[in-house]
Amino acid sequence: MNVDAHIADWALKRIQSEPKLAAEVDAYVRRVKREAELRPSPENVLRAEPVSIGLAIFSVVGISAGAVAAGIVGGAVLIGASIAVNYAISALTQKSTGGTAQTAADPPALNSQAIKYNERQAIPSKRIIYGSAQVGGSLFFEQVKPPYLYMGHLICARTITAFRRIWLGTTELAFASLAPGAARAPLAVTDQPNYPGRLLASFRLGDADQTIDPLLAADFTLLDGNFRQRGIASAVLRYHYGADFNEYTALWGQGSRPNPLFLVDGVAVPDPRNPAHILDWDPDDAAAVAAAEASWSWSNTAALVQAHYLTQRYGGRIKPYRMQWDRVGEAADWDDGLIGRSDGTMIKRHTIDGVVTLNQSPASVIAGMLKANRGFVLQSGGKVWPSSSLPRKAIGTIHDRLLTGAFDYRAAKPKRDLVNRIKMRFVAADREYQLADGPVLDRTDLRTADGEVLDGTLDLPFTMDTGAVSRAQRLEKAFLANSRLGRQINCRCDVMLLAEVGDELEGSCLNFESDLFAQANGLYQCTQWSFADNFSSIDMVLVECDPTIETDWNPATDEKPFVLASLNVS
């Protein structure tokens, strides 16, 4: 037996003596084999959306190079285990000193107004709506048939849940119902023009078997019955010009055509806490996809939206059977929890509301989504799941007897990575669903300690808030507090740690208690680990964590008034 084979045989026997280690390795080997079988072929990539959609979760969430390795060397299997981390604290590393200007060729910013408004394009970008969003739509039909103007808008490239509200410009219209199936006129409202006599609207949710729009079918009998926009939510509006120019401008404004906006509840998402929801479907089987989607329901809970996006062909491309659904449910329970506001009301802790387009990179989309709940994308044993910021308890302890190799300790972050004042942006529902600048969080005590102002910016593109912006301000405070945690440990431990911990290492917290390195003692989160020394040890990267950050919120003292910034006319 050669030396490599002897080492491999010894390592496997050691692992087999520990059931937990054996299960870890067996799961990893199965995952590597399965991923090799499922690796996208060139022809499959070409059949996908012809824009930047990413090849796999490894390109989506940015695992560090070399974090996962599998190969055969002299008969020994070299296995690495890692965490697929894209923690949203990176939002604060961009200082408020400006950045690279966006070019016309760049995809639009996440959930920006540019992707929400009405547009006329030969090949518009497909849009997916999560949670609730105020949007326009790309025109798929525009026709003048005096005295009417007809406009048909593509709202969402997938089936949505409901139309909620409609505006013309900034004027909200009242309807008895916005349900699909028939053309509807608005209700009369005092001090509004004669919208009931001048406007008809019809809506379709985007069902795969939907028929031609009822308003178009009635007024354009020569239209082909297959003109159905199947699978795409749409709205068609018929505008009467009015009796004269004065009535036209009173009804539709000064523009050449009206500008409608719609508040809609977006796509349904799977929820592992609902036993009726189908959680294992074949993404390549249209019938299976339709059956699964029909079983789901609408939600803007952050973890559920993240899990949906990660399993979509336009998103993370994670096969549904690889999603750790029970962990998704745990994260969703935390996101669904209620937090208080200064007015005594309660709101959901973490939500995602907004629009993504298929010309945006999945890496940027999932990074923006993770900011909504300070989350992670985690991976272990071939399974993947989004994890929210729920406070984590230590699952084990690293002590001196477990340390077997090099120990590297960083006591604090460099000043260039510190923040003591944060500016933020979020979607303000009471500012016509625009991206707005929220209250600035300025820690004067930290500024004094740092000796200067250290600015950071926090964009929350998928966080929608109302009134006193409790949800956004709470995230702002937590991000700043987390940015001050700078201790980090790189160490090598005996493999027995895997047998002693009470849960998966990835994303979990560990106590570090050492007499040799007492200055490093504290609570840390494991962000990466891999086998070393032929399975006798594991290398780990640990970063400081503080579970109290997530619950440190007192609306009576922490919530600040939300006022519009002063207009700069200089």
Side-chain angles (χ1 to χ4, degrees), residues 130-193:
Y130 285 107
S132 298
Q134 186 196 56
V135 297
S138 303
L139 284 175
F140 74 92
F141 186 89
E142 186 174 28
Q143 184 72 46
V144 173
K145 192 175 181 180
Y148 300 113
L149 167 65
Y150 296 79
M151 297 175 67
H153 302 269
L154 301 175
I155 304 300
C156 181
R158 292 291 185 90
T159 305
I160 64 173
T161 308
F163 284 85
R164 295 296 184 194
R165 301 164 67 184
I166 298 181
W167 293 262
L168 282 175
T170 59
T171 300
E172 183 174 358
L173 306 181
F175 282 80
S177 171
L178 297 180
R184 304 176 185 279
L187 301 174
V189 176
T190 304
D191 296 329
Q192 283 191 0

Side-chain angles (χ1 to χ4, degrees), residues 78-97:
L78 305 182
I79 300 175
S82 75
I83 179 176
V85 177
N86 194 336
Y87 188 39
I89 193 61
S90 61
L92 298 185
T93 61
Q94 180 182 0
K95 306 296 182 179
S96 299
T97 56

